[in-house]
Amino acid sequence: MNPEPPEPAEAAGPPERSEAARPAGPPAERGAPVGRRVFLGTLALGALGVVAAPPLQRGMEAFLGSAADKDPTGLTGLLPNGGGFRYYSVTSSVPHRNATNYRLTVDGLVDRPAGYTLADLRALPQTRMVRDVQCVTGWRVPGTPFEGVRLSTLLDAAGVRAEAGAVRFTCFDGAYSESLTLAQARRADVLVALRMQDKDLGHDHGGPVRLYVAPMYFYKSAKWLSGITVTEKVKPGYWEERGYDVDAWVGRSNGRDDEPTS
Ligand SMILES: Nc1nc2c(c(=O)[nH]1)N[C@H]1C(S)=C(S)[C@@H](COP(=O)(O)O)O[C@H]1N2
Ligand SMILES: [Mo]
């Protein structure tokens, strides 16, 4: 891992983003006092020169319980050899899936519903992108390669119907969900990712297959992806029902669906 470069101004979110991304209040924030673990983590972030997220944005971390305990101070994500990532899961255990039992279904408002095995996905054209990963809680991993099949490829294969307007993603953890507008889903920088950091996606990072929405905060990138359903309208996902923005563009308050992508 490279040493952490100076944080760009947008790392903690421009002011309007921070306001807009504020959760209305997950249960953990309203009910429980801010734990010592979260408090220490915030001090550590401050000491390293990272702008602290507004208090309400720490709700995601406070709510994560066992997953966050793997990295109690939050420091490892910022140290040069820490790997950069935290492992997040809203559930305490997730079944393992591999080449023999993994399936991705594509259904909803499409002409040709489909089911893909891992081998099927690997046989499709692969796109590799290197971007910064940014979680709303403040941690960031610069220059992370992701590789996989463009979501637009799967949507085109399925034949999206005229009345469709959005895409919903479900996960085999049985709890998490996400969604995008159809225009966002068709962007060239949105992948059904099979690889991360030039390795097959491990279980803890959402393997064997996760969504990767490069231009948005990392909560849009649903791990353990098992279902893609084309719908009429956007249905807010797991964190969005708990107050986060449905349009989670990083570094600008006014993202446009049709912005050109590389
Ligand atoms: N299924 C599922 N996907 C998820 C999450 C989750 O809890 N469950 N957390 C999201 C959040 S908030 C972040 S920051 C990233 C974390 O990915 P990582 O665990 O690979 O670092 O996954 C996103 N996708
Ligand atoms: Mo996140």
Side-chain angles (χ1 to χ4, degrees):
M1 250 311 127
N2 298 322
E4 186 80 1
E7 292 287 317
E10 72 268 23
E16 64 274 29
R17 168 62 42 193
S18 300
E19 288 304 315
R22 266 184 192 190
E29 289 164 4
R30 274 188 261 108
V34 173
R36 179 175 165 77
R37 152 167 74 71
V38 173
F39 178 65
L40 290 175
T42 305
L43 287 182
L45 289 169
L48 285 170
V50 175
V51 180
L56 284 172
Q57 288 197 5
R58 296 200 297 268
M60 188 180 281
E61 292 240 280
F63 190 66
L64 286 168
S66 60
D69 285 342
K70 290 180 190 169
D71 181 12
T73 62
L75 264 174
T76 56
L78 297 162
L79 295 173
N81 60 351
F85 283 89
R86 319 246 185 120
Y87 295 116
Y88 276 180
S89 177
V90 297
T91 60
S92 55
S93 79
V94 179
H96 286 244
R97 300 230 173 134
N98 54 38
T100 60
N101 60 1
Y102 178 77
R103 286 291 181 288
L104 175 64
T105 60
V106 181
D107 60 15
L109 300 174
V110 297
D111 292 330
R112 296 173 293 279
Y116 292 87
T117 65
L118 208 46
D120 293 336
L121 292 172
R122 286 179 178 145
L124 292 168
Q126 307 291 306
T127 298
R128 184 175 178 276
M129 279 187 305
V130 183
R131 302 286 174 83
D132 298 347
V133 160
Q134 175 75 58
C135 172
V136 287
T137 57
W139 57 272
R140 172 174 161 272
V141 186
T144 306
F146 279 87
E147 195 174 337
V149 181
R150 285 203 169 114
L151 177 57
S152 64
T153 302
L154 300 184
L155 294 174
D156 289 348
V160 173
R161 294 195 184 147
E163 67 268 31
V167 184
R168 178 165 172 78
F169 306 93
T170 48
C171 306
F172 61 82
D173 63 9
Y176 206 77
S177 60
E178 256 306 333
S179 62
L180 293 170
T181 67
L182 196 53
Q184 291 165 357
R186 288 193 192 282
R187 288 174 59 110
D189 54 1
V190 176
L191 302 182
V192 170
L194 309 178
R195 291 166 64 79
M196 185 181 123
Q197 295 174 314
D198 295 317
K199 294 182 296 247
D200 288 349
L201 259 176
H203 175 78
D204 288 341
H205 279 305
V209 178
R210 80 183 293 168
L211 187 67
Y212 176 57
V213 184
M216 294 193 179
Y217 281 101
F218 208 28
Y219 65 86
K220 298 301 289 191
S221 294
K223 297 161 68 165
W224 306 297
L225 181 66
S226 57
I228 296 173
T229 303
V230 178
T231 60
E232 213 171 307
K233 290 195 177 114
V234 165
K235 182 174 186 298
Y238 183 91
W239 281 117
E240 293 150 11
E241 285 188 317
R242 289 156 180 81
Y244 287 84
D245 272 3
V246 173
D247 291 322
W249 305 104
V250 174
R252 60 209 147 129
S253 57
N254 191 20
R256 284 178 41 179
D257 289 351
D258 57 349
E259 183 170 304
T261 58
S262 57

